[in-house]
């Protein structure tokens, strides 16, 4: 005698179709049965209010029992069998045996074929196992009389996903498919309305991701470098102009903190070496032609020579490798990463070199190596002298902690970064670069607070960041970086407001961000790809949404 059924259905599938099976299983178990259908009498009994549970994963089997016996138990307790039909299923001995057992033992129970979306064909001989294509003899063997079963077909040329799902649900609960489909459409529209209501937070997440605000230190634009902390001599201006020209070939690299300034210093060092080293002279000429790979090859040869003869002077060899890395990074990140690593081994006390090494490892996703480098920077860096590297190393440590889910550790690192920025501002309170860095710290702290559910504190942190962004943008309206930061602040505040449930305020913040980006475009300012993507997302968000009414 079969056990009482506990599963609404047994989902039979080939392991090759596991991804499709997981999706179908999820949609069935989460399917919302309309309340005016629930309880309605049908030939299959009263309509249930849920389809859960649907048996899918063989991992649900209890340990210690043989697989065939457990399969039999699961089939015993299932009211119906849903076959995920595909060429894989048709060829699977295991699927065929599940179908055979179910049809033989429980001929009165329902068998529902569903042709998988990924199936290239739909003819029964290609997608159904033999146990479904032919009758089952009283002895349990597969007969020779063909069967005829209507299948739901989730392929685009068939029913499509939604209608196919409605057909399965209708068969399981005993009502016409149209009843289920119409009600499902009504429910879909209701859910869509709720999603529209919550779109602020979802769009915010996408927008912030596009702006790359949650990533490593290399995600921040190099606009900070446009506000030099010291007077720049003509030679540095020339070197920086060449650096910016070379970086234009790699916009992503240009976004790394201090990249333009660091590359300019490297070019200056190469120019200085050109007076005594023909390879440096040739490398400089190649850089002026934009041939970074060829220049890097010459610098690599020079660095190896320096290493070979630098038993007592590793610092010189390390400097050569850092120069190689700075040039190679434009087109060959791996070569740059290897060169920074070699420089760090040769000279483990060069603070900026260690920071660059950590940053390169961070970009490659090597968190352990990056953390080691950043912690070394934090340990040996001198306040006042190495504040730039100290600040970005702390941000990097915070980002690593975020990646590991260690929010308190991340908060401590971001707090330390804010302390460094605030300290650097004391002798020069008007320094735009350090003011922006302080705003970045506030934003990072706000991100942690959001993740911890401390939304009021997060809003306070984001507003501190926005106050700085507004001040910078007002003082220098032609600086696209400052205005971009202002848009970011509006977005972060809007995301936090949305999570508090203050949707009108969130929408106003998002509209303010769109206004900033539109203003930049109207002023002829270049929008980097991320900012342009954000503007597009925000514009799409408000295509059909009316602007909030102004208070009278």
């Amino acid at each position: 005698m079969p056990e009482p059924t506990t599963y609404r259905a047994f989902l039979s599938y080939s392991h090759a179709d596991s991804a499709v099976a997981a999706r179908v299983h999820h949609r069935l178990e989460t399917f919302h049965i309309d309340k005016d259908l629930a309880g309605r009498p049908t030939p299959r009994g009263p309509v249930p209010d849920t389809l859960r549970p649907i048996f899918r994963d063989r991992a649900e089997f209890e340990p210690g029992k043989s697989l065939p016996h457990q399969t039999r138990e699961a089939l015993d307790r299932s009211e119906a069998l849903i076959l995920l039909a595909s060429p894989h299923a048709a060829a699977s001995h295991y699927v065929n045996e599940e179908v055979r057992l179910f049809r033989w033992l429980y001929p009165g129970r329902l068998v529902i074929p569903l042709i998988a979306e990924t199936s290239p064909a739909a003819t029964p001989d290609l997608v159904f196992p033999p146990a479904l294509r032919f009758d089952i003899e009283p002895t349990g063997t597969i007969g020779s009389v063909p069967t005829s079963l209507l299948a739901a077909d989730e392929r685009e040329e068939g029913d499509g996903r939604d209608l196919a799902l409605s057909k399965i649900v209708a068969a399981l609960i005993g009502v016409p498919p149209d009843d289920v489909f119409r009600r499902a459409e009504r429910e879909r529209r209701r859910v869509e309305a709720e999603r529209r209501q919550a779109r602020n937070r979802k769009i915010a997440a996408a927008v912030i991701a596009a702006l790359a605000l949650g990533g490593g230190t290399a995600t921040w634009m190099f606009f900070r470098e446009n506000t030099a902390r010291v007077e720049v001599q003509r030679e540095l201006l020339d070197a920086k102009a060449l650096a910016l020209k070379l970086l234009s070939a790699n916009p992503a690299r240009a976004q790394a903190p201090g990249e333009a300034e660091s590359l300019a210093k490297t070019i200056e060092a190469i120019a200085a070496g050109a007076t005594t080293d023909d390879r440096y002279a040739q490398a400089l000429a190649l850089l002026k032609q934009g041939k970074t790979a060829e220049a890097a090859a010459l610098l690599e040869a020079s660095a190896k020579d320096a290493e070979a003869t630098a038993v007592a002077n590793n610092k010189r060899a390390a400097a050569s490798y850092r120069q190689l890395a700075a040039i190679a990074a434009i087109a060959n990140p791996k070569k740059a990463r290897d060169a920074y690593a070699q420089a760090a081994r040769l000279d483990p006390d060069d603070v900026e070199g260690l920071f660059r090494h950590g940053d390169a490892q961070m970009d490659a996703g090597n968190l352990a190596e990056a953390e080691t480098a950043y912690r070394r920077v934090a340990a040996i860096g001198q306040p006042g002298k190495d504040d730039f590297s100290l600040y970005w190393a702390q941000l990097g440590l915070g980002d690593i902690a975020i990646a590991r889910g260690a929010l308190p550790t991340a908060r401590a690192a971001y707090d330390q970064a804010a302390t460094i920025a605030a300290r650097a501002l004391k002798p020069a309170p008007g320094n735009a670069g350090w003011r922006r860095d302080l705003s970045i710290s506030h934003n990072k702290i706000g991100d942690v607070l959001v993740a911890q559910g401390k939304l009021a504190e997060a809003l306070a942190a984001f507003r501190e960041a926005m106050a700085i962004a507004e001040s910078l943008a007002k003082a220098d309206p032609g600086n696209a970086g400052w205005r971009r930061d202002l848009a970011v602040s509006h977005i972060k505040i809007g995301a936090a407001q949305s999570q508090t449930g203050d949707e009108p305020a969130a929408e106003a913040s998002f509209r303010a961000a769109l206004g900033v980006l539109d203003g930049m475009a109207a002023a002829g300012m270049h929008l980097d790809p991320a900012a342009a993507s954000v503007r597009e997302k925000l514009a799409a968000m408000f295509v059909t949404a009316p602007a909030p009414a102004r208070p009278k």
Side-chain angles (χ1 to χ4, degrees):
M1 181 177 179
E3 299 180 21
T5 57
T6 55
Y7 296 110
R8 191 74 56 189
F10 181 109
L11 180 57
S12 179
Y13 63 96
S14 163
H15 273 193
D17 298 320
S18 293
V20 180
R23 170 175 55 77
V24 170
H25 179 264
H26 175 75
R27 291 199 69 187
L28 285 170
E29 286 214 327
T30 58
F31 189 88
H32 176 82
I33 295 177
D34 202 283
K35 61 183 180 181
D36 67 351
L37 275 180
R40 177 192 293 184
T42 76
R44 293 185 58 79
V47 173
D49 56 6
T50 180
L51 296 178
R52 293 189 299 270
I54 304 287
F55 185 91
R56 173 180 70 92
D57 200 333
R58 295 181 182 112
E60 294 179 22
F61 291 138
E62 297 175 14
K65 294 187 178 181
S66 64
L67 190 62
H69 181 66
Q70 292 182 79
T71 301
R72 170 71 176 270
E73 286 185 343
L75 290 168
D76 280 345
R77 303 203 309 267
S78 298
E79 294 179 14
L81 182 141
I82 300 169
L83 168 70
L84 188 58
S86 73
H88 298 299
S92 169
H93 169 77
Y94 200 96
V95 170
N96 186 66
E97 187 61 12
E98 288 175 344
V99 174
R100 185 193 69 80
L101 271 173
F102 192 81
R103 293 189 64 202
W104 174 43
L105 297 171
Y106 314 111
R109 295 185 189 178
L110 196 62
V111 175
I112 311 168
L114 169 65
I115 298 173
E117 182 182 59
T118 53
S119 180
T123 55
D125 60 319
L126 294 177
V127 297
F128 292 168
L132 191 64
R133 297 203 309 269
F134 300 101
D135 67 322
I136 303 297
E137 301 285 356
T139 57
T141 59
I142 299 173
S144 58
V145 179
T147 58
S148 178
L149 281 176
L150 294 177
D153 186 349
E154 68 169 11
R155 298 178 308 153
E156 189 173 342
E157 62 269 33
D159 299 316
R161 282 189 182 183
D162 292 339
L163 181 54
L165 184 75
S166 295
K167 285 184 174 182
I168 295 173
V169 173
L172 289 174
I173 66 177
V175 301
D178 192 49
D179 276 3
V180 175
F181 187 70
R182 283 188 292 105
R183 286 171 169 80
E185 277 295 292
R186 188 173 66 195
E187 175 66 10
R188 184 189 63 78
R189 288 192 293 270
R190 183 189 67 79
V191 171
E192 186 62 31
E194 291 180 355
R195 286 176 179 167
R196 199 173 297 119
Q197 200 175 43
R199 74 180 185 276
N200 287 341
R201 67 191 68 176
K202 293 181 179 179
I203 292 293
V207 165
I208 290 171
L211 284 169
L213 295 178
T217 57
T219 61
W220 292 93
M221 293 296 286
F222 67 95
F223 290 115
R224 133 191 254 293
E225 303 309 320
N226 294 333
T227 55
R229 300 189 178 102
V230 296
E231 289 190 10
V232 182
Q233 298 177 351
R234 179 177 178 79
E235 291 79 6
L236 179 56
L237 286 173
D238 290 343
K240 192 162 186 178
L242 178 55
L244 292 172
K245 178 182 176 183
L246 294 172
L247 285 171
S248 66
N250 188 341
R253 188 68 201 171
Q255 296 177 14
E259 187 63 25
E261 187 178 71
S262 176
L263 184 56
K265 289 179 181 177
T266 297
I267 292 170
E268 280 194 306
I270 292 171
T275 60
T276 58
D277 189 325
D278 287 343
R279 285 178 296 195
Y280 271 53
Q282 294 174 43
L284 183 61
L286 289 166
L287 289 175
K288 290 178 179 179
Q289 298 172 42
K291 298 179 179 179
T292 56
E294 293 86 341
L298 289 169
L299 294 171
E300 184 174 17
S302 181
K304 288 181 177 178
D305 286 349
E307 182 182 6
T309 60
V311 175
N313 191 7
N314 282 348
K315 290 184 181 294
R316 179 184 173 188
S320 296
Y321 275 107
R322 287 193 293 271
Q323 292 162 7
L324 163 64
I327 299 304
I330 297 169
N332 192 333
K334 184 180 185 306
K335 182 181 284 293
R337 186 165 63 253
D338 292 344
Y340 276 131
Q342 181 67 354
R345 284 190 288 271
L346 290 166
D347 185 4
D349 295 325
D350 186 275
V351 176
E352 184 172 351
L354 284 168
F355 158 65
R356 297 291 173 189
H357 166 50
D359 208 32
Q361 296 297 330
M362 186 76 166
D363 285 348
N366 302 326
L367 300 189
E369 292 88 341
E371 182 180 22
T372 299
Y374 289 149
R375 291 202 181 283
R376 176 72 176 163
V377 170
I380 68 173
Q382 299 178 36
K385 176 186 175 184
D386 301 312
D387 282 343
F388 178 82
S389 297
L390 286 168
Y391 170 85
W392 286 102
Q394 288 297 336
L395 280 195
L397 288 170
D399 292 343
I400 290 169
I402 288 289
R404 292 171 176 167
L407 296 180
T409 303
R411 172 67 191 274
Y414 294 151
D415 280 342
Q416 185 61 29
T419 299
I420 294 168
R423 181 183 68 216
L425 275 170
K426 283 185 178 179
N431 186 294
W434 277 118
R435 290 174 66 198
R436 180 176 190 259
D437 291 346
L438 183 58
S439 76
I440 292 172
S441 304
H442 288 315
N443 274 329
K444 293 277 191 178
I445 291 167
D447 290 339
V448 173
L449 290 167
V450 167
Q452 292 176 325
K454 301 175 181 178
L455 298 178
E457 294 178 55
L459 279 168
F462 291 147
R463 287 185 174 121
E464 285 190 67
M466 189 167 76
I468 297 173
E470 284 180 325
S471 175
L472 290 172
K474 183 177 180 180
D476 186 5
N479 188 313
W482 303 158
R483 292 174 71 171
R484 183 182 187 273
D485 284 352
L486 182 56
V488 168
S489 288
H490 283 302
I491 290 165
K492 282 186 170 288
I493 288 172
Q497 288 168 329
S498 181
Q499 290 198 45
T500 67
D502 191 351
E503 296 300 333
E507 184 167 326
S509 293
F510 292 141
R511 286 187 183 276
L514 180 59
V516 172
L517 294 172
D518 281 345
M520 291 173 65
M525 291 183 176
H526 172 70
L527 293 178
D528 61 86
S533 173
V534 167
R535 183 186 176 210
E536 181 181 347
K537 291 176 187 295
L538 287 171
M541 173 182 174
F542 295 120
V543 165
T544 58
R550 293 179 179 273
K552 296 183 179 179

